[in-house]
Amino acid sequence: MPHRTTRTHAVGPRGRGAHRLVADAVRAAQPGDTVVVAPGRYEEALELARRIVLVAEQGPGTVVLAAPPGGAPALAVLAPDCLLRGLELEGADPGDPAVTVAAGAGLVLDHCTVTGGRIEVRGPEGAEPGDFREGEEGTSAVLLRDCRLTGARHAALRLSGGARVRIESTTVADIDGVGAVLAGTARLDVTGLRLESTTGSGIRLRGRSRLRMADSRLTSPGRAGLLLEDTAHALVSTTRIETPGTAGLHLGGESHADLTDSRVLRPAASALVLQDAARLTADGCTVTAPGANGLLATGTARAALTDCRLEDCGFSAVHLADRAEATFTDCRVRRGAEHGFHVAGSAGLGLTDSTVTGIALTGVAVTDEARATVTGCRIDTAHTGVAVASPAGSRIAHSTVVGAARAGLEVSSGGRAVLTGNRVTGAGAAGLLFDAGSEATVEGGSVEGGSGSGVVVWTGARPVISGLRIDGTGRNGVYFAEGAGGLLTSCDLVGTRLPALHLAAGAAPRLRRCRVLDCPAPFGGDGTAAPVLEQCDIDGAPLAFVPGAAPRPPAPPARPGAPAVPGAPGAPAVPGAFDVPAVPLPPGAGFPVPTAAPAELPTAEPEEEHLDDLLAELATLVGLDRVKHDVHSMVKLMQAVRLREEAGLPAPPLSRHLVFAGNPGTGKTTVARLYGRLLKALGLLRRGHLVEVDRSALVGEYVGHTGPRTAAAFNRALGGVLFIDEAYSLAPESGGHDFGQEAVATLVKLMEDHRDDVVVIAAGYPADMARFIGSNPGLSSRFTRTLLFEDYSAADLVAIVEHQAREHRYELTGPARLRLLRHFETVPRGAGFGNGRSARQTFQEMTERQAQRMAEAVTPTPDQLSTLEPADLPAPALG
């Protein structure tokens, strides 16, 4: 049969083509023919029942195919292998399809735009989704290449049945709903997707659908970046998810996701959320600054992370609950407001060859009936290195804990753990801490340095310790509390500052083949203790204990609750050389989840500041005349109050708590920090430091979580100033139940309990702060004074830029200064205007532009390198 020659059909205005309507040309076309459309807007609904090519004659942006009112899509594809190039398809209603592709049909959209409606692709029912295999390209019923999808409602792309879609170098933006929805056994292959600004999740997978995505970026989805349900599966690589919505990746049901070399940035809630029986594997991924957890796993979820980074988490970096299981290999956790790893419920953790650094609470906290295996890890600068409070049995092996403020390794009441070959250095209170009722075995390892004791054994505790070396500790080598015991075998106690062994009344440990070297004394404490010594020696001589040789300390005061490390408030007082760690611990110190802030190590007192110097520093701040006047007035009032108190006269009622009302960048934090220092100079605060928090630092994600978080933040501010930025977010306009209300109630109570030892400053937009103060009667009675921070004038902003320039050894020329003033006089002051922050950003842009200009100079002089010219101003300022 002879081969048929394909034809070209033209569409355009009268006299320019054979057809005036695109639909006429489509009906006239035979399979394989091409329809070329002249520029214009064509309001008609097309149906492609044959394989044809539809092309914009003069390229993208010149032809609009708009669906007429009535609900029909702009394009309905019924045939396979259809191609559209350079067309704009416009739906009649954003909530309806603009393009539909029927089961068995096929479509390629090349350099096309779909606006005002979604693309809906239906595949054959009952088709299997298929598995992802290395090197598999897959086949596509629909291909989108270099396209843009925008303005749809509910979803920009919906796949159902066994639909197959491939996306290459395409943008999905401004969607009132979800970017893409997959259901049934649909499959979506994505490369180079840019998904921006959806009110719902970025991509949602349901049923047995499959997603493979690479080299893509999901920015500002209103909810989760990726949401997987049922048994859906996603394979994601080299992708960036940046969401101010909820989670970066949310898995539920029996869904499964594989992440490789991808990043999740700044989600408002947890970055990676696993529920039910979901599974996650991640390799080479980074999680940065989530508002809650880096990884949250509940139910029977499973996660395996390798070579991943979790940084700056608002809650614990990893929280495992229920029966969830997770393994981490060669991972890094850096900086976090709570725990590095919190393992609760009956969850299980495997942590291998990983690092945890800069954690506010505990590096690894194991509670309830959970268990953990930690091997070859390093925990640096945490409040407590590892705390085990679960009887399920945990193992910590060949790991290093450095600089723990409290204890390096702790087994709390009811906890059971085996500690093998670990090294603890520089602990503040104790290298190893064994609480009453704990069950612990120590095999080898060392405790070195630190300001506390090497090992602390509480009343009733009976650890079994062998092969441990304790070297150079700031207090005792081993501290045995009243009635404590245990077995120490082949241990060395070397170079302790206080006696090697502290034995309180009734302590009865057994020591075998232990050595005491270069210590001031072998024993301290109570002479009524009854240790058993077998083949032990001191500096090469036999070691013996003489009952009654040590002075008997006074009876300790009664203290309810869990025991505290010796030296803590209410702990047994031991005089003289037998004192033990002086680092205080919070109430309930035997548990790894404190309800108050971590106690701080003693630090050198800061240099005293003079009131006149601080007021002079206040005067140097740019602008803020009204605020300066108000602060001066308060200082005079407080001086009068102090004089009356010193004279024995009653002080007038005075609330030091303040509301700072002003737009962003108006100097609120700077003044708050200076206010605390002023109050310290007046003798009204002990420390005068500033602790800055916002809603994410106070409000928890779970029931019962908010109170402890708020208390922890508040207690960090004791003796100084608690600065709550955007405080109005604790009282949302929508009302209803919100954990912010619990945070406010907790704050009110704490402000009353510590009325003389803390100042609270609530800051935010002027229009919103009245709502916050009115949200709780206790706030209105405590915040009686508001300081209004007015926006900076153009001249003030120029002064800020000049101040920045002087600090960095730059100088503005006269013309540059005038042009900069004109720039700030004309710059829009909308919601994105940052006042002083905008001035600092402008200075940074000027230095960058000047650097580019100098790079083109042959031999710039030192004066040229330090001079900012009009040409260095940001581009809008040059007009």
Side-chain angles (χ1 to χ4, degrees), residues 663-666 765 789-800 820-839 842:
N663 291 323
T666 49
Y765 290 105
F789 287 70
E790 297 174 338
D791 287 346
Y792 287 114
S793 68
D796 291 336
L797 296 173
V798 173
I800 293 173
L820 185 62
L821 178 64
R822 189 190 315 161
H823 167 65
F824 285 131
E825 287 173 341
T826 58
V827 70
R829 297 205 175 201
F833 181 68
N835 277 287
R837 190 177 303 114
S838 293
T842 298

Side-chain angles (χ1 to χ4, degrees), residues 24-328:
D24 291 342
V26 168
R27 281 191 291 269
Q30 296 300 308
D33 285 357
T34 299
V35 175
V36 179
V37 185
R41 178 182 178 88
Y42 301 83
E43 189 170 303
E44 47 185 304
L46 298 183
E47 184 175 281
L48 304 186
R50 290 181 291 276
R51 178 175 56 88
I52 66 170
V53 177
L54 198 60
V55 180
E57 181 183 32
Q58 295 186 19
T62 62
V63 175
V64 177
L65 298 180
L75 176 67
V77 182
L78 307 177
D81 300 327
C82 295
L83 167 64
L84 272 68
R85 179 177 294 119
L87 303 178
E88 181 173 330
L89 304 169
E90 183 179 299
D93 187 320
D96 292 334
V99 176
T100 63
V101 181
L107 173 67
V108 175
L109 292 179
D110 186 11
H111 289 83
C112 292
T113 297
V114 179
T115 183
R118 66 180 175 272
I119 298 177
E120 188 163 299
V121 184
R122 302 183 186 92
E125 298 297 333
E128 289 299 317
D131 295 324
F132 294 118
R133 295 185 294 274
E134 187 69 26
E136 178 189 1
E137 292 298 328
T139 59
S140 300
V142 175
L143 170 63
L144 278 64
R145 180 186 297 119
D146 294 300
C147 293
R148 181 177 179 86
L149 281 57
T150 183
R153 189 167 64 241
H154 306 313
L157 179 64
R158 178 178 292 171
L159 282 62
S160 61
R164 300 290 185 269
V165 175
R166 182 172 181 83
I167 293 177
E168 299 175 357
S169 304
T170 289
T171 297
V172 177
D174 301 321
I175 305 301
D176 185 11
V178 182
V181 176
L182 284 68
T185 58
R187 174 165 168 170
L188 176 63
D189 285 85
V190 176
T191 302
L193 172 67
R194 296 295 179 265
L195 189 147
E196 305 167 355
S197 300
T198 62
T199 61
S201 297
I203 301 177
R204 181 180 184 183
L205 284 74
R206 305 174 62 185
R208 294 189 291 155
S209 58
R210 299 289 186 264
L211 168 70
R212 179 163 56 186
M213 181 164 59
D215 301 326
S216 297
R217 181 166 182 167
L218 280 58
T219 304
S220 299
R223 297 187 64 80
L226 294 176
L227 173 61
L228 277 68
E229 302 169 276
D230 304 326
T231 58
H233 181 195
L235 187 65
V236 180
S237 62
T238 55
T239 291
R240 177 186 177 107
I241 302 175
E242 187 167 0
T243 170
T246 54
L249 176 66
H250 192 137
L251 307 180
E254 297 180 7
S255 62
H256 179 199
D258 296 284
L259 268 64
T260 305
D261 297 328
S262 295
R263 303 183 66 187
V264 179
L265 305 177
R266 294 177 287 278
S270 296
L272 308 173
V273 177
L274 282 68
Q275 296 177 317
D276 307 322
R279 293 178 295 137
L280 169 70
T281 60
D283 191 344
C285 298
T286 299
V287 169
T288 302
N293 306 113
L295 170 70
L296 170 63
T298 61
T300 58
R302 300 289 183 269
L305 280 72
T306 304
D307 189 24
C308 292
R309 308 289 184 267
L310 291 81
E311 302 174 342
D312 301 304
C313 298
F315 293 177
S316 298
V318 175
H319 184 94
L320 307 178
D322 300 330
R323 289 179 291 153
E325 301 273 351
T327 60
F328 293 78

Side-chain angles (χ1 to χ4, degrees), residues 330 481 554 572 624 664 706 728-729 772 826 875:
D330 191 23
L624 304 176
T706 294
Y728 53 83
S729 64
F772 168 69
T826 58

Side-chain angles (χ1 to χ4, degrees), residues 482-483 502-507 523-530 545-556 572-579:
E482 292 184 2
H502 178 99
L503 303 172
F523 300 107
D526 194 300
T528 63
F545 177 77
V546 181
R552 189 179 186 86
V574 186
F578 304 129
D579 287 353

